Amino acid sequence: MKRGTTDVAVSEPDPIEHKSHGYRCGNCNAEVTFDAAAQKLRCGHCGSVQDVPAAGPEGSHVQSYDLAAGIRAEQTGGMGRAAAAVRCQECGACVEYEAGTTTTACAFCGSSYVLPQEAAARAIRPESLVPFRIDRAASGRAFSGWLHGLWFRPSDLKHRARLQQIDGVYVPFWSYDCDVVSRWTADAGYYYYVTVTYRDSSGRRMTRRERRIRWVPASGARQDRYAGILVCASGGLPADLVSRIQSFDTRALVPYNPAYLSGWKAEEYVVDLQQGWGVASGRVAEEQHRRCAGDVPGDTQRRLSVNNAFLAVAWRHLLLPVWIAAYRYRNKVYRFLVNGQTGEVVGKAPWSFWKILLFVLVLLAIAGTVAKLAGVV
């Protein structure tokens, strides 16, 4: 996989040319779709499989682009196939479907309030993706395993939870690389001790050692490199869940090939390049503040100020596989996500008040027993 940093040509975008990539079975000529478990194209009619065709010359490598040029330029190319798009009026997600597909519910939040819309005239065509490796059956097993591993949940949850909805969606992400030079200033504190004389309640003269802090101005600088900072560009995934499911191995990225999307859904970018960089640079700034704090000498510190300069900022746009699902328990719907590459599950589940109360009472009983034993000793 070739990596480099190049400028994005700044020019007027051409209209998207929607081409239908019809992948057909070599045995019966029926439509084939990408099989995540087999990593091949499988015919739903006769069951035969075939290799994913090689990407064209224009998609033979994955490239990084300069951030400033990328923000100035408008990317074009779309998803490379004829598609229908619907936008959810509840969560804002915009999902592309294969031509001829109809949908009545949002894959992200389950809402039935979805409206068809024209494909975006300036849609982004990702240059790379991580193919699905976890199929529908495996994602269901991952869900069951996740339920069995939960603590402080209702005892009947694993038996009464019913998988209600599950959709495999290629979710758009931005990936950022950068160098950062951080210059910092702070007051470095050094502990020292003095002997203090005082009188006790009986008027007797006593002494004790007190700790004091000597404050000294300090400053410094450091340079660090960050690579592969992932920022979700979806408009439909719950932020509290997607932030916990970014354990993707991007070393498995392959050049964009529409064959991998055959039979699957893909969301359009909702968070633009500059917004994504705002999120990524904020994460870097937080980490640099932590690292600079570790560089301040002495025993303690105060008034740490960090000034960051970002250099060689580059980006890539890519698609990552996520199973978006919901289950019902006692007439309430809970959402969860399955990493379509690793099978990692994150989600929401009801708490058991009685289990938590019992745990707290046990802790209090143990603490009481320890206190009594300490009193006896």
Side-chain angles (χ1 to χ4, degrees):
M1 183 181 297
K2 177 182 175 182
R3 289 193 57 207
T5 302
T6 63
D7 288 344
V8 178
V10 181
S11 61
E12 286 300 316
D14 297 322
I16 293 178
E17 181 184 359
H18 291 296
K19 296 181 180 179
S20 177
H21 292 271
Y23 296 99
R24 295 290 173 179
C25 175
N27 184 44
C28 67
N29 201 40
E31 184 178 356
V32 294
T33 57
F34 179 68
D35 185 322
Q39 292 293 289
K40 294 178 181 292
L41 295 175
R42 181 179 299 277
C43 176
H45 184 258
C46 71
S48 63
V49 296
Q50 61 191 59
D51 291 334
V52 174
E58 73 282 357
S60 59
H61 63 274
V62 180
Q63 228 170 230
S64 296
Y65 295 98
D66 174 73
L67 178 67
I71 291 176
R72 291 193 302 267
E74 293 191 37
Q75 302 305 299
T76 62
M79 303 302 295
R81 69 196 191 289
V86 295
R87 180 174 296 278
C88 177
Q89 303 304 298
E90 293 291 336
C91 70
C94 188
V95 178
E96 289 189 343
Y97 296 82
E98 293 291 343
T101 300
T102 60
T103 181
T104 58
C106 175
F108 289 84
C109 70
S111 170
S112 59
Y113 192 29
V114 292
L115 298 176
Q117 67 172 36
E118 295 295 326
R122 296 171 183 260
I124 297 169
R125 178 184 186 272
E127 289 186 338
S128 59
L129 58 85
V130 171
F132 270 91
R133 288 194 172 274
I134 303 298
D135 62 13
R136 186 179 298 273
S139 65
R141 291 192 295 271
F143 166 68
S144 297
W146 174 72
L147 283 182
H148 281 74
L150 295 177
W151 290 60
F152 304 122
R153 312 294 180 167
S155 300
D156 63 346
L157 176 63
K158 53 182 169 289
H159 303 296
R160 298 189 61 175
R162 294 291 178 263
L163 192 60
Q164 186 178 34
Q165 168 198 347
I166 186 162
D167 286 293
V169 180
Y170 281 99
V171 177
F173 280 77
W174 299 112
S175 176
Y176 297 93
D177 304 331
C178 69
D179 293 314
V180 57
V181 176
S182 300
R183 293 178 172 82
W184 58 265
T185 59
D187 291 338
Y190 296 85
Y191 296 148
Y192 67 96
Y193 295 86
V194 298
T195 300
V196 177
T197 302
Y198 69 100
R199 293 186 182 276
D200 65 10
S201 58
S202 300
R204 292 175 297 182
R205 192 180 183 87
M206 307 289 289
T207 61
R208 65 172 179 244
R209 284 175 58 80
E210 289 187 355
R211 189 179 74 180
R212 305 285 173 83
I213 302 175
R214 176 170 54 88
W215 294 105
V216 178
S219 62
R222 62 177 297 134
Q223 181 169 350
D224 294 278
R225 174 70 179 169
Y226 291 82
I229 308 167
L230 291 177
V231 175
C232 182
S234 166
L237 288 181
D240 57 337
L241 292 184
V242 74
S243 63
R244 294 157 49 199
I245 199 173
Q246 296 194 24
S247 59
F248 293 97
D249 182 3
T250 53
R251 293 174 299 180
L253 280 170
V254 298
Y256 174 82
N257 186 336
Y260 290 110
L261 276 70
S262 181
W264 300 79
K265 303 167 186 174
E267 191 193 6
E268 292 182 355
Y269 285 73
V270 174
V271 176
D272 65 30
L273 180 62
Q274 189 165 16
Q275 291 172 323
W277 171 240
V279 174
S281 60
R283 292 182 195 166
V284 173
E286 289 181 6
E287 175 62 18
Q288 288 301 101
H289 192 277
R290 186 191 67 81
R291 294 183 183 185
C292 289
D295 292 344
V296 179
D299 304 306
T300 187
Q301 59 187 257
R302 68 182 183 185
R303 292 201 288 256
L304 174 63
S305 176
V306 179
N307 182 37
N308 297 310
F310 295 96
L311 309 171
V313 183
W315 58 275
R316 289 181 296 175
H317 41 172
L318 43 96
L319 295 176
L320 299 178
V322 178
W323 285 100
I324 303 167
Y327 68 95
R328 181 176 293 275
Y329 174 76
R330 296 187 182 274
N331 296 320
K332 186 175 180 180
V333 176
Y334 298 88
R335 305 203 66 76
F336 70 97
L337 307 176
V338 180
N339 186 314
Q341 180 190 28
T342 66
E344 174 196 15
V345 182
V346 299
K348 299 180 179 180
W351 294 95
S352 171
F353 169 80
W354 297 111
K355 284 187 177 181
I356 296 173
L357 178 61
L358 178 61
F359 179 73
V360 172
L361 292 175
V362 169
L363 288 181
L364 291 175
I366 293 173
T369 302
V370 171
K372 287 181 180 179
L373 292 176
V376 170
V377 174

